[in-house]
Amino acid sequence: MNSKNPSIACTVSSCKFHSSSEDYCALQKIQVGTHESDPTMIECTDCQSFEKK
Ligand code: SF4
């Protein structure tokens, strides 16, 4: 089971860095980015630290 970083809340339980017991990330830091050239809404942003469990 991963420990949790209380500063990074996350519900993506299929990520291998997810704290399986609670909705937090276990990493010390994450990279957030975008796949759009001109991001305008939440859906345009991504956690680029995601890796499939
Ligand atoms: S790396 Fe990103 S997607 Fe994965 S648990 Fe952490 S915040 Fe969530």
Side-chain angles (χ1 to χ4, degrees), residues 1 8 14-15 21 25 28-29 33 37 44 46-47 52-53:
M1 184 190 308
I8 306 176
S14 61
C15 176
S21 56
C25 181
Q28 289 294 308
K29 62 173 276 197
S37 56
C44 301
D46 307 294
C47 176
K52 183 154 175 47
K53 196 182 278 180

Side-chain angles (χ1 to χ4, degrees), residues 8-12 15-19 24-27 30 47 49-51:
I8 306 176
C10 178
T11 59
V12 186
C15 176
K16 76 177 187 182
F17 301 116
H18 189 258
S19 170
Y24 288 94
C25 181
L27 294 177
I30 60 166
C47 176
S49 299
F50 171 88
E51 288 186 31

